Amino acid sequence: MALPAHADSPELAPARQKNVTRLVVATSLGNALEWFDISVYAYFAVYLSKAFFPTSDPTTSLLLTFGTFALTFLARPVGGVMLGTYADRYGRKASLLLSIAMMTCGTLAVACMPTFAQIGVAAPLLIILARLVQGFSAGGEFGSSTAFLVEHMPGRRGFVASWQFASQGMSSFFGAGFGLLLSSTLSEADLQSWGWRIPFLFGVLIGPVGLYIRNNIEDATVPPADKDDTPIRNVFMEQKLRVVLAVGVIATATAVNYLIIYMPTYVVKALHLSPTIGYLAAFAAAIASITLNPVAGLISDRVGRTPYVITMAVMLLLAIFPVYLLLAGKPSGTVIVLAVLLLGSLKALYLGATAALMSELFPASTRATGLGLSYNIGVTAFGGSGPAIVTWLGTFAAIGDLAPGYFLTAVCLFSLWALITIQMTAADKTFTSNLPQTQSA
């Protein structure tokens, strides 16, 4: 099994396990809001590009839109470190309240933003600013909420932490649902004029509910009395390899996830089909994520985290190129949906166990900081930049429509290296002095 948390972690779980549903909902709502905004931004990228980044070349306009999508992810590691440190020093609840408030404000700003035609260059600049606020707040969300969950239920870490990603599936479900509904009921002109704003306004409604619920929960880990302790220094000076390995764990899942989000654009730009097919494919993958992530968490609690995740990573590696060879062959809508459903199902079965695995790489004193930093480096490097990299790779004739397959294969190999390193370290204490063994909490 992967490296467990430190035995001296002040986790008080047994008395807290009665309100599992309330705990999961409280933590998952913020994660859901984060991913709902991310998904609808990508799903409606074609319309956002015309509204805020108009150029004479549609491809350039789209690249600017996805470039902004990737740029704002640069704020995520900063938010992960700062809000994670805040959570480690002052409590998970305090950080969770702050992050969901910031995310709600950013989503509202995007929903109400005047277009380039109305206020000129201020429009894309303000969109970038709003996305940076969202990126910063989202950066602190995963570390704090995952630490909160696993510290309440250390005996069922895989299952309870898997809801972090199941909530992302719910967000993609609603995001793709909006895309499917609006693209099939509104004209292109109406979608471009005002229809794309509807899902963002819906996302704003999640914020107040999440704030209310989170204000009525309590931490399972007591914040340290010594506020002069420096989790940032401890992570950067003593746990660098842990961070690199955690980045590797999340890399494949986040790359697959963002390329599924990219599917409506890929279907239009590369396959020259209706965006409705792309939305339907993403919709099917979202259902797989909702249902299979908790299953993966349960299995990992029973058979061991690392062996299970390694198995799923190998299955993903073997499936990636056949799926994209199928997609590049200009298939029917049914084949596209089934191919993406397969990829999304394998991703969910991999991803469901990774939140607990990553949390077990860090002790409680630095868990939120370490999780926030590693998760957001992984999401930024392999997820947020994924659509832009794939769009750019697709401009090379030798790569073309197979660009997602090449990208995912490289990322999956990196994840396998990280997982095998964790497994070897857990089995051999002499493997590295930088990744010491710990006792189970």
Side-chain angles (χ1 to χ4, degrees):
M1 193 178 208
L3 299 178
H6 285 188
D8 58 359
S9 301
E11 296 171 314
L12 313 174
R16 307 285 187 177
Q17 295 186 16
K18 297 179 181 179
N19 298 315
V20 176
T21 302
R22 183 180 180 187
L23 296 175
V24 168
V25 170
T27 52
S28 298
L29 274 176
N31 209 35
L33 174 57
E34 168 200 343
W35 279 87
F36 181 79
D37 173 79
I38 288 169
S39 64
V40 295
Y41 186 93
Y43 289 152
F44 290 89
V46 172
Y47 305 102
L48 289 165
S49 66
K50 294 176 183 178
F52 298 108
F53 303 95
T55 70
S56 57
D57 179 14
T59 300
T60 301
S61 181
L62 196 59
L63 279 170
L64 287 171
T65 303
F66 280 125
T68 300
F69 185 75
L71 176 65
T72 56
F73 275 69
L74 296 178
R76 291 181 65 126
V78 179
V81 169
M82 295 184 68
L83 291 177
T85 298
Y86 186 71
D88 283 332
R89 297 175 72 177
Y90 298 100
R92 317 307 190 200
K93 174 180 174 178
S95 179
L96 290 172
L97 287 170
L98 181 58
S99 64
I100 196 171
M102 294 179 67
M103 176 60 72
T104 303
C105 291
T107 303
L108 179 62
V110 174
C112 300
M113 190 67 65
T115 65
F116 185 91
Q118 294 171 318
I119 61 173
V121 72
L125 292 177
L126 289 172
I127 283 289
I128 291 173
L129 179 61
R131 298 285 299 171
L132 285 171
V133 171
Q134 290 175 312
F136 181 90
S137 61
E141 178 67 32
F142 178 81
S144 300
S145 56
T146 301
F148 180 90
L149 285 171
V150 300
E151 288 163 4
H152 272 275
M153 298 187 68
R156 301 178 66 193
R157 284 175 174 160
F159 174 71
V160 74
S162 71
W163 288 98
Q164 287 287 82
F165 298 122
S167 69
Q168 294 178 6
M170 294 176 191
S171 299
S172 297
F173 176 88
F174 282 109
F178 269 111
L180 189 61
L181 175 65
L182 295 176
S183 66
S184 59
T185 58
L186 296 180
S187 66
E188 281 291 307
D190 286 339
L191 264 174
Q192 187 61 63
S193 176
W194 53 269
W196 64 266
R197 297 184 188 272
I198 294 175
F200 287 99
L201 290 170
F202 175 81
V204 173
L205 301 177
I206 301 174
V209 178
L211 278 168
Y212 174 79
I213 295 175
R214 287 184 173 186
N215 195 46
N216 290 279
I217 58 175
E218 299 299 333
D219 291 327
T221 300
V222 179
D226 181 12
K227 296 300 188 291
D228 293 328
D229 188 30
T230 54
I232 295 178
R233 184 192 65 80
N234 293 339
V235 168
F236 279 99
M237 298 301 295
E238 302 171 8
Q239 300 170 8
K240 295 186 289 293
L241 183 55
R242 293 175 181 268
V243 171
V244 173
L245 295 177
V247 170
V249 169
I250 198 65
T252 289
T254 194
V256 174
N257 202 56
Y258 279 88
L259 289 183
I260 290 174
I261 290 174
Y262 174 71
M263 188 54 60
T265 302
Y266 179 78
V267 165
V268 173
K269 302 296 290 185
L271 305 181
H272 310 292
L273 298 172
S274 167
T276 301
I277 296 173
Y279 291 129
L280 187 59
F283 192 74
I287 294 175
S289 179
I290 295 169
T291 56
L292 296 179
N293 272 306
V295 172
L298 279 171
I299 295 173
S300 74
D301 281 335
R302 292 177 177 270
V303 305
R305 214 85 64 206
T306 316
Y308 170 77
V309 180
I310 288 175
T311 301
M312 296 314 305
V314 172
M315 292 181 67
L316 262 172
L317 181 64
L318 295 176
I320 287 168
F321 247 97
V323 166
Y324 276 97
L325 282 170
L326 191 62
L327 291 175
K330 304 297 189 293
S332 66
T334 301
V335 172
I336 292 173
V337 172
L338 291 176
V340 173
L341 178 59
L342 171 63
L343 203 59
S345 297
L346 290 174
K347 183 267 298 183
L349 289 170
Y350 173 95
L351 185 61
T354 58
L357 175 57
M358 293 169 68
S359 74
E360 290 165 346
L361 288 170
F362 300 97
S365 59
T366 61
R367 184 169 291 143
T369 304
L371 279 171
L373 177 64
S374 55
Y375 175 77
N376 288 293
I377 290 175
V379 169
T380 300
F382 302 103
S385 61
I389 292 173
V390 168
T391 301
W392 174 71
L393 285 175
T395 63
F396 294 92
I399 296 177
D401 295 346
L402 289 176
Y406 284 104
F407 177 70
L408 288 179
T409 298
V411 175
C412 196
L413 289 172
F414 171 56
S415 289
L416 274 170
W417 167 82
L419 290 164
I420 291 169
T421 301
I422 294 170
Q423 180 69 13
M424 291 174 66
T425 307
D428 182 4
K429 293 184 180 181
T430 66
F431 182 72
T432 173
S433 60
N434 292 328
L435 198 57
Q437 298 302 294
T438 58
Q439 300 299 316
S440 180

